[in-house]
Amino acid sequence: MSTAVLGPEPFPFPVAVAPQSLPSAQPQPARRAGRRAWRILLTLAVLAVAGGAAAVALHREETVPAASKHLAPVWQIPPSAADDELIGSWLTDKLLIRASTRGGVTAYDLADGSVVWSAALPPNATKSGSRPCAMSPTLTAEGHGTVAFGKDSNSCTALAGIDTSTGTILWTMPLVDSAHPTAMSARTYLQGDVATIVSENFLGGLDVRTGHRVWGFRPRGYYCNAYDWGADGIIVVDDYCADSKHLFTLTAYDGRTGKVLWSQAQDAHTDLAHVFSGSPLIASVHKAGQDSVRVFAPSGRSRKLAVGNTEIAPGNGVAADHSARLVGSVLVTPAQTAGGGEIDAFDTTTGAKLWSYHATALATATAGDDRVYAVAGPAAAPQLVKLDPRTGRATVAATLPAADHQHFAAGTVYVTPDGGVLELDALGTSGGVHFFR
């Protein structure tokens, strides 16, 4: 489903957009199914390097010495229900904040797993549902974040700002109104003190401390269909405008200000299946007859990454996981091949694949930590492994206890500052939260 936008005049924030029939003389291409699917299989030619050579040398080190440090279970949080879906999480120096469809937004003490606070929404925000449906991947320096709420993970009716030190709801903003009564899915991101909301109904930025409008999206014509994606720092819009010279465009906007960073005329719709990074923009791009993962320059020009016959994703299998990240100029990301799960690394300057390492899960980075950790090895003897982002060379940091269920298969893994390991399972059927130290 597309976001249809009306009129070139300024819009109030949030940018309310209503369905609009386009002229029958300009039939719209069918939108590719599975826009929200978290993974796609990309089959690409290996990127040619300088001089015309097509070979890429990969470092793959599969065996490393066992660690002398052994982690043990410290505490466990059971799931709220069998259908409890992980929406997102934040890790601070003292707290794990977890958002899920049945468990709400709850902060746990890292020392013992006890509940520190549970966020309670004001009454006017709960009329249309109070289950978390989206969560910003990061927090501000002051510990503020954004969470959207609704009836389920695909129907968001309100956006809220939260102070993670106390669990206080700072403000709420409706994501439905009389002109747009149907709740839609949404994503939310932070760039400094500006939060963006990216949904089928609303697109814009607001002050994360107050909820006040900072900017709102303006369409480039009167008869337009628009599709939007986001990441920290950037919004990307693919549109079709029947009353404009260029029918199709792909445009990137600054998430903090709403200003256009670049815009490109297209021959047809462009679909971004995944966004791996906002600065630089790295996204898996689908066009008619071609799938690729591309790194975009500030001008909007792009180059391919040499993904090959590998399925790469922003996280370990679920939308709540944002473990793929840039370390300097290296993109480190979870991947799947015919041989199983692995971690892959790509030089974003040249497009070359640097290394791959067989692993179960890539750990999500905490604020300011450039170290790359992964969980590797069989369930009977899992290990926490530190990987060099440039070479892939592995060092075992600790041995984890043998898994009594399918640990780390899908969800989020954190490494705490003291070397502990947090596992957040994606669904209530998998076991909630486990902490090893």
Side-chain angles (χ1 to χ4, degrees):
M1 181 175 179
S2 68
T3 297
V5 294
L6 300 177
E9 71 276 4
F11 282 83
F13 182 84
V15 178
V17 289
Q20 171 73 22
S21 298
L22 296 176
S24 58
Q26 298 290 348
Q28 291 303 290
R31 192 63 171 169
R32 186 169 67 96
R35 173 176 178 254
R36 291 180 54 78
W38 198 246
R39 292 184 172 183
I40 60 171
L41 182 63
L42 300 172
T43 304
L44 307 170
V46 176
L47 182 70
V49 296
V56 178
L58 299 182
H59 174 81
R60 182 187 288 270
E61 185 177 342
E62 304 302 347
T63 58
V64 290
S68 58
K69 182 178 180 180
H70 295 267
L71 303 183
V74 178
W75 50 261
Q76 177 180 347
I77 301 169
S80 300
D83 60 347
D84 189 34
E85 178 186 351
L86 181 66
I87 297 298
S89 57
W90 299 314
L91 184 66
T92 72
D93 57 345
K94 297 180 180 179
L95 300 176
L96 166 69
I97 299 103
R98 179 181 183 271
S100 66
T101 52
R102 298 296 296 273
V105 183
T106 305
Y108 302 93
D109 192 318
L110 286 178
D112 57 12
S114 60
V115 174
V116 177
W117 55 255
S118 292
L121 286 178
N124 63 349
T126 61
K127 293 180 181 179
S128 300
S130 58
R131 294 185 178 185
C133 60
M135 189 179 197
S136 61
T138 58
L139 295 170
T140 67
E142 293 76 22
H144 297 163
T146 48
V147 177
F149 294 85
K151 291 182 178 180
D152 55 48
S153 60
N154 293 313
S155 302
C156 299
T157 55
L159 182 70
I162 295 181
D163 182 346
T164 58
S165 63
T166 61
T168 302
I169 299 295
L170 302 173
W171 49 265
T172 59
M173 182 188 74
L175 296 179
V176 292
D177 57 25
S178 58
H180 315 91
T182 303
M184 309 295 287
S185 61
R187 284 95 52 212
T188 177
Y189 305 94
L190 300 181
Q191 33 280 308
D193 289 325
V194 176
T196 47
I197 179 69
V198 183
S199 78
E200 305 291 350
N201 287 337
F202 298 88
L203 178 61
L206 63 158
D207 191 314
V208 71
R209 299 161 296 187
T210 64
H212 293 162
R213 175 187 187 271
V214 175
W215 65 271
F217 171 73
R218 294 189 184 195
R220 61 188 179 92
Y222 192 86
Y223 295 101
C224 296
N225 275 55
Y227 305 85
D228 47 29
W229 298 270
D232 294 348
I234 197 168
I235 301 294
V236 183
V237 176
D238 162 57
D239 68 6
Y240 170 92
C241 291
D243 56 347
S244 296
K245 177 181 178 181
H246 300 295
L247 296 181
F248 300 94
T249 65
L250 184 67
T251 305
Y253 298 86
D254 187 315
R256 185 188 292 269
T257 65
K259 293 182 178 179
V260 173
L261 298 175
W262 51 262
S263 186
Q264 296 177 344
Q266 307 286 306
D267 296 329
H269 275 302
T270 301
D271 189 12
L272 305 188
H274 306 306
V275 178
F276 296 90
S277 166
S279 180
L281 174 63
I282 304 175
S284 55
V285 178
H286 172 79
K287 291 186 177 182
Q290 182 185 35
D291 287 336
S292 60
V293 177
R294 309 192 74 90
V295 181
F296 290 80
S299 64
R301 295 177 63 87
S302 64
R303 68 159 68 235
K304 290 181 181 180
L305 292 184
V307 175
N309 296 332
T310 303
E311 181 185 356
I312 67 173
N316 299 305
V318 292
D321 189 301
H322 302 274
S323 52
R325 62 191 175 106
L326 279 174
V327 184
S329 61
V330 177
L331 175 67
V332 183
T333 177
Q336 284 287 329
T337 68
E342 63 183 37
I343 310 300
D344 287 351
F346 302 88
D347 188 320
T348 59
T349 302
T350 65
K353 187 174 183 179
L354 298 175
W355 52 265
S356 62
Y357 187 87
H358 283 307
T360 305
L362 177 63
T364 297
T366 55
D369 192 347
D370 283 339
R371 293 173 294 181
V372 177
Y373 287 102
V375 175
Q383 294 180 322
L384 177 66
V385 178
K386 182 180 178 182
L387 298 169
D388 185 291
R390 176 57 62 173
T391 67
R393 187 169 298 280
T395 304
V396 175
T399 298
L400 291 156
D404 56 0
H405 68 283
Q406 197 175 7
H407 285 303
F408 313 114
T412 298
V413 176
Y414 288 105
V415 178
T416 60
D418 62 357
V421 174
L422 270 167
E423 172 209 354
L424 285 71
D425 285 306
L427 294 173
T429 53
S430 301
V433 181
H434 297 81
F435 185 42
F436 308 96
R437 186 166 51 198

